[in-house]
Structures are given as C-alpha cells and as structure tokens.
Amino acid sequence: SDSASSASSVEQKESARESERKNTKKRGRENGGDEAASAKKPKPDTGASTRITKAEENAIAASRGGGVYIPPFKLKRMQQQITDKKTKAFQRIHWDALRKSINGLINKVNTANIKMIVPELFNENVVRGRGLLVRAAMKAQMASPNFTHVYAALIAVVNTKMPEIGELCLKRVVMQFRRAYRRNDKLICLACTKFLAHLFNQGVAHELLVLQLTHLLLEKPTDDSVEVAVDFVKECGLALKDASAKGMHVIMERFRTILHEGEIDKRVQYMIEGLFAVRKTNFADYPSIVEELDLVEEDDQIPHDSVTLSGKHDVQRTLDIFKFDPQFEENEKQYDEIRREIMPESSDDEDESDDDGPDESESSDEEGGGADMATEEGGMKILDLTEAETINLRRKIYLAIMSSLSFEEIVHKLLKMCHKPGLEGELCNMLIECCSQERTYIKTYGEVGQRLCMLQDIYIECFDESFAHQYATIHRYETNKLRNIAKFFAHILQHDAFDWNVMSYIHLNEVDTTSSSRIFIKILFQELSELMGLAKLKSRCDDPLYVEAFANLFPTDNPKNTRFAINFFTSIGLGGLTDGLRQHLKNLPKRIMMQQQDISDSDSDSSSDSESDSDSSSDSDSDSDSDSDSSSDSDSSDSDSSDSDSSDSDSSDSDSSDSDSSSSSSSSSDSD
C-alpha cells in the first residue's frame, strides 16, 4: 500500500509540471502575438524620445554630489534641452561641469604649464567654485606630495586676486592638520605640514603660524613629532630665516636640546643631525621658491596673519555642495566683470578676435603683400642673424686646410673663398684655431699666415687684432694649445710679416700677468731665439724704432717691475736680453743720488737767491733813504738861498726908495 501511494504521488507531480509547461508556452505565444501586432502598428511621434523626462530631471536635482551617473550622450542632450537658467536642473549641470573643469586643471598643472593654467582657471567661476578649487588642490597635494610647491604657487597666484580663496585653503589645511595630529596620523601630518611650509614660502601663511606649529611639535617631543618637525623646517627654513632669524635660532636650539637629551630613537637623531648639516649649507638643497614658480611679487603677497593654529576657523564645508542660486545670472555677470578686471588683455583679445577676425586677416594679408612688394621694389637687404654663413665658411676653411698638400695651395683656396670683404678676420681666427687644435705645432700654419700678410695688408691688421685677443684670453687655453699659438706668432714675427708693435700688448710685471700669459711669453721668445738667434733678437729689442713697443716688456718705470723682468728672462735662458735693464738697475742708485743732489742744489740755489734778493732789497732801501736825505738838504739850502735873495731884493728896494725920496726932497728944495 505504501508503494502504491508513493507511485501515485509521483504521477500527480509529473502531471502538474506538464500542465505548467503548457500554460507558460501558451502565455508566451499570446504575448509574442501582441508584441508583433503592436510592432506592425505605426507609433505616433509624441516627441518623448527628445524630451527630458521627469525622472531624469529629478535624478539631476536629487544627485547631491554628482553621484548619479549620466551617460555623456544623454548629458549633452539634457544640456541642449534645458535652456532656462533659473531652473535647478540647469544649475546642477553647470555645477557638475565647473567641478570637472576645476579638477581637470588642478590635475594638469605642473612647473612647465602653470603660467598657462592660471588664465584658464580664472576663466572658470572660481568665486562660485572656491570650495571645489580648495578641495581639489588639497586632494591633489595629498595624493602627490612631490608637487606641493606647484599647488602652493597656484594658490598664491589666486590669493593675490582673491584673498578669500587663499584664506579658505589655509584654514582647511590647518584644521586638517589638527585632526590628523589628534588621531596620530603621521602621513596626513607630513602632507599638511609640507603644504603649510610651501604656503609660507609663497607668502600666503604668516610666520606666526609656522612658529606655533614648530612649538606644538617640539613641546613634547616624540619620534613622530620630531620627524614631522624636521621635514617641516627643511621645507621652510630658508624663508623663516629671512623672516624671523631669532625664531629660527630658537627652533634650532630646541632641536639641539632634544638631540643632547637622547630620549628619541637613533634614526630621528640622525635626522636632526642632517637638519643641522642642511642649515650649515644655508638650505642649498631646499630652496624656498623655485625660479619657475616665482610668479608673485613680494609687494603683491597677502599673508593671512589671522589664521593661527589655536583659533577656531570656519572651513565652510557647504561650499563643496551644490546649492540652488536664485540670482544665478546676476552672479555670473558680476564674475565676468571681475574676470575682465583680472585679465583685461585676454578678454579684449577674445572679443576683438570674435568681432573683427575676418577683416583683420584680410588687412594683414594686404599689408603682408604690400611689404613683400616693398621689399621687391626697394631691394631691402636681409640680414641673417643665425650665423649660418659664418658656420659654413669655417667648415670650408677647415676642409681646405686639411685637404691641401702645401701652404701655397691652402693660401690659394683661402683667398678664393674669402673674396667678399669682411671675412678676413674670421679666416685669421679659424687659421689660429686650427693651429691650436693640433697635437704639435705644424710649420704649415705659420707659412700660411706669413704668405697672407705679405699678399694683402688687411691681414696684417687682422692678425694684429687676433694677437691682442689671443693674449687677452690666453688663460682659457690648455698648455698644448697655448704652445701652438705662441709658435705660430713667433714664425710670423721672425719673417717680419707683420709689425713688431704687437709687443706693446704685453705688460710684463707681477700684477698684469698670469701663469698662462707667462708661459705664452716664454714660448714666444724661446721660439724667436731659436729662429733668429739671440744676438739678432737682442738687436731687434734694442732697435730705436721699437722702443715704445718693448717698453712694457722691459719696464724701467719701477725697480720692482724691472727686477721681475730680469728674473723672468734669466729663468727662461734669455738673460742676454736684459743687459740694458741690468745696467739701468745698476745705475739707478747713482741716478737717484744725482736727482737728490740736484734737488738739494736747486734748494740751496733758491735759498741763496732769496738771501741775495733780500740783501739787494735792503741796500736799495738804504740808498733810497740817503737819496731822500740829500734831496731834503738840497731843498733846505735852496729855500735858504731864496730867502737871502728875497731879503737882498728887499734891502735894495728900500735903498732905492730912500734914494728916490732924497732926490725928491732935493728937487723940492731947488724949486723953492
């Protein structure tokens, strides 16, 4: 009975399964028929495929941080459909685009392109997205601390135009450091302190914040806190030394105390010793600002001294979240005005390029055509400033020298090459350079120089200038090059190919000569002595025509210089050239004595002359006195004689009057 019941139950189950299969097949056929019928019927064009649905609009508005993924094609369609800027959906799409643009620019910035990224960043509405900008910069700095100086430079540039953004970034970094310090998160502390150090280097943070931070880290030193402090001081030590030398001294003394106490790990002690070594080199490996990132002038920096380590700061987290703005269009227009004030040139250029692009291109084409015509008609000379012709000439000169068998062939080729005026100087310099490059001196170069000077006088002037230039820059050459150049000029001088007055460029004394110039003079005169002989060379040096030329080479103005020249020529085996100097030095004391004696004689003569002048003056005074006395005596005698004459005349007059009176009386008596 049990077996029969079990068999019946199995049969019932199988029959139930078969009935279910039949029902499902029947339903599928019915549904397929309905779908086919509906497919055959034409669908009415209601525009539902091109319109934004209510669900999509709700999804846009409900996505708080852009977490809902929208495919790019659908997002583009939505942007085209939404034209009302006052709607929440449009502002949400604009917010997402702003966030993506700022993140892309922050991730793209580096030392090379920061000057191009800054204008692109200001083209975005960074006032509305200041929270996004600060958040992106901090996130990028945390991910790649090696680029901290780049992000700090970017924030410093933005801080000069919009100080609120720099202050917000500084507050958030400080608060993040405080949270990481409380949680003992060493990695975040290292990243935050590095960011703060570079913000201080760029003039965004104040020195008070740096001193507070180092005090906090070194007040109760642990291995981690000291390690963080060492890295922090390395990054900002140079700028802190300039801003607060006393504060830097206190910090280093605190490190010295911690090192002497020896309570920290050996590894950290080595780090402190490394910090002292870096300080000893004046932070040479840790510059405060890299040259490419020095974008802000010191007068334009705006440090935020209100941001301290102990204060309570509002980090404004709501700025990272989308909020509907009823005055969206007005705020956008205000930012456009701000952007024009920040970047007036770029905005003006964009407007002009949009408005007058075709006209300007046409006018530029016309002007360009006119310029071409002017050049064709006027025959303007084009100057090649790339020196391509000079390089080609030097190459041809080198190949001509190396491919010739004799110096006559070299001279023929060189004169054929330098047919244009003005190339003679380059030929002479190239000839001397080729001579200096040889391992040993080759006589062919001297013969070429000699023949050129004898053929054309212009090469004499060129070699004269080359001699002056080579002697002035002789310290740049190695000894082998120096020897070849000296022998080259010795060969030309020996044949009198150019003037011996070039010796006036040489000043042989201890001050005006170097070791290289003395070697040059030594080799030059030794070669001349071998080629000419010492006697002929001495007669040339004593020639009256070249007295001025050899005056600086055989100086007689100062005994010290004279002794130096004598010792120099004696040491190189040419002491016979200094006989005149020796005689001059030997007679110098006698000349000095004679000069002193002449001076004393002149002084005595002048004193005797003055005495004789005084005696003569006294004699003349006495003579004048005697003359005056005699004149006075003569005057008195004259006066006496005149007085006597007058008395005599008076007496005669009286006698005559008496006689007249007597005669008159007699006449009267006669008449009576």
Side-chain angles (χ1 to χ4, degrees), residues 433-620:
E433 188 173 347
C434 291
C435 178
S436 66
Q437 296 293 333
E438 299 291 343
R439 292 185 179 180
T440 58
Y441 172 69
I442 298 176
K443 189 179 179 181
T444 305
Y445 292 103
E447 293 173 344
V448 172
Q450 173 192 348
R451 181 62 61 88
L452 288 173
C453 292
M454 290 181 174
L455 289 175
Q456 296 181 9
D457 292 339
I458 190 171
Y459 287 102
I460 298 176
E461 299 177 1
C462 294
F463 278 113
D464 189 297
E465 295 176 359
S466 298
F467 184 89
H469 175 71
Q470 296 295 334
Y471 182 75
T473 59
I474 202 69
H475 57 278
R476 302 177 185 174
Y477 295 103
E478 300 174 358
T479 306
N480 187 46
K481 294 181 179 180
L482 190 148
R483 180 180 292 106
N484 292 342
I485 294 172
K487 290 185 176 183
F488 173 81
F489 283 111
H491 181 92
I492 300 176
L493 285 170
Q494 182 256 336
H495 289 89
D496 294 328
F498 75 122
D499 201 353
W500 282 71
N501 286 318
V502 294
M503 293 295 178
S504 61
Y505 298 121
I506 301 176
H507 293 255
L508 186 58
N509 53 62
E510 190 174 0
V511 177
D512 296 333
T513 56
T514 61
S515 58
S516 300
S517 62
R518 287 193 284 270
I519 294 172
F520 176 80
I521 299 169
K522 169 189 171 183
I523 297 170
L524 178 66
F525 275 86
Q526 285 180 345
E527 187 70 14
L528 287 172
S529 176
E530 292 179 5
L531 295 173
M532 299 175 63
L534 185 61
K536 191 175 180 181
L537 178 60
K538 186 176 184 306
S539 64
R540 181 59 55 88
C541 294
D542 296 338
D543 194 341
L545 295 175
Y546 302 112
V547 172
E548 295 182 358
F550 289 100
N552 296 323
L553 194 58
F554 299 98
T556 58
D557 55 346
N558 191 350
K560 182 179 180 182
N561 297 338
T562 305
R563 292 190 189 94
F564 182 83
I566 292 171
N567 294 334
F568 174 79
F569 282 106
T570 304
S571 63
I572 65 175
L574 299 176
L577 299 177
T578 61
D579 292 341
L581 292 180
R582 294 175 187 276
Q583 190 66 28
H584 169 76
L585 199 61
K586 184 178 180 181
N587 297 332
L588 188 62
K590 296 180 180 179
R591 291 180 182 177
I592 295 173
M593 292 292 292
M594 291 175 66
Q595 290 176 359
Q596 291 178 353
Q597 186 175 0
D598 293 339
I599 293 170
S600 62
D601 293 341
S602 62
D603 292 340
S604 62
D605 293 340
S606 62
S607 62
S608 63
D609 291 340
S610 62
E611 290 176 358
S612 63
D613 291 340
S614 61
D615 293 339
S616 62
S617 62
S618 62
D619 294 338
S620 63

Side-chain angles (χ1 to χ4, degrees), residues 349-363:
D349 294 341
E350 290 176 0
D351 296 339
E352 291 176 1
S353 62
D354 293 339
D355 297 338
D356 303 330
D359 297 336
E360 288 181 355
S361 62
E362 291 175 2
S363 62

Side-chain angles (χ1 to χ4, degrees), residues 12 23 34 77 135 149 184 192 205 208 229 265 280 283 307 337 355 358 380 444 460 467 480 535 579 581 625 655 660:
Q12 290 176 359
N23 292 331
D34 295 338
R77 187 190 69 188
R135 181 183 177 186
H149 56 293
N184 293 326
C192 291
L208 180 61
D265 191 26
K280 193 173 183 180
F283 299 92
V307 181
E337 294 177 358
D355 297 338
M380 295 176 64
T444 305
I460 298 176
F467 184 89
N480 187 46
D579 292 341
L581 292 180
D625 292 338
D655 293 336
D660 291 339

Side-chain angles (χ1 to χ4, degrees), residues 97-162:
L98 178 64
R99 175 176 53 82
K100 292 178 182 177
S101 177
I102 290 175
N103 287 337
L105 293 173
I106 293 295
N107 293 331
K108 244 187 343 183
V109 68
N110 55 37
T111 306
N113 65 359
I114 187 171
K115 293 182 180 180
M116 296 180 287
I117 292 294
V118 169
E120 294 181 12
L121 186 63
F122 280 119
N123 286 331
E124 304 294 336
N125 192 346
V126 292
V127 174
R128 186 167 183 253
R130 57 187 182 275
L132 298 176
L133 174 61
V134 173
R135 181 183 177 186
M138 292 178 62
K139 190 175 180 181
Q141 187 271 335
M142 194 69 64
S144 54
N146 292 331
F147 289 90
T148 304
H149 56 293
V150 180
Y151 302 125
L154 183 65
I155 295 296
V157 174
V158 176
N159 183 64
T160 58
K161 305 298 181 182
M162 300 174 184

Side-chain angles (χ1 to χ4, degrees), residues 105-284:
L105 293 173
I106 293 295
N107 293 331
K108 244 187 343 183
V109 68
N110 55 37
T111 306
N113 65 359
I114 187 171
K115 293 182 180 180
M116 296 180 287
I117 292 294
V118 169
E120 294 181 12
L121 186 63
F122 280 119
N123 286 331
E124 304 294 336
N125 192 346
V126 292
V127 174
R128 186 167 183 253
R130 57 187 182 275
L132 298 176
L133 174 61
V134 173
R135 181 183 177 186
M138 292 178 62
K139 190 175 180 181
Q141 187 271 335
M142 194 69 64
S144 54
N146 292 331
F147 289 90
T148 304
H149 56 293
V150 180
Y151 302 125
L154 183 65
I155 295 296
V157 174
V158 176
N159 183 64
T160 58
K161 305 298 181 182
M162 300 174 184
E164 297 82 4
I165 298 178
E167 185 178 4
L168 178 63
C169 179
L170 197 59
K171 287 180 180 179
R172 289 193 177 185
V173 175
V174 169
M175 295 304 294
Q176 188 176 15
F177 169 77
R178 285 167 60 175
R179 286 195 301 271
Y181 185 76
R182 286 195 299 267
R183 297 172 184 172
N184 293 326
D185 194 340
K186 179 182 173 183
L187 295 178
I188 297 180
C189 283
L190 285 171
C192 291
T193 52
K194 192 170 185 178
F195 202 4
L196 288 173
H198 284 284
L199 287 175
F200 170 68
N201 292 338
Q202 291 286 349
V204 180
H206 195 262
E207 62 191 59
L208 180 61
L209 178 62
V210 176
L211 296 175
Q212 287 179 344
L213 185 58
T214 51
H215 176 72
L216 176 66
L217 293 172
L218 300 177
E219 185 180 8
K220 296 178 180 179
T222 61
D223 294 343
D224 293 338
S225 68
V226 173
E227 183 178 352
V228 172
V230 168
D231 291 338
F232 178 68
V233 174
K234 281 182 180 179
E235 296 293 338
C236 65
L238 185 60
L240 183 60
K241 183 180 178 182
D242 297 335
S244 177
K246 292 183 179 180
M248 185 66 184
H249 178 71
V250 171
I251 291 170
M252 299 307 295
E253 289 299 321
R254 179 58 181 160
F255 275 118
R256 195 185 304 277
T257 303
I258 294 171
L259 185 63
H260 290 331
E261 289 175 355
E263 296 179 358
I264 55 177
D265 191 26
K266 290 288 185 184
R267 179 181 64 86
V268 184
Q269 292 181 11
Y270 287 137
M271 292 182 69
I272 296 176
E273 292 177 357
L275 175 62
F276 279 102
V278 169
R279 184 198 180 191
K280 193 173 183 180
T281 60
N282 199 19
F283 299 92

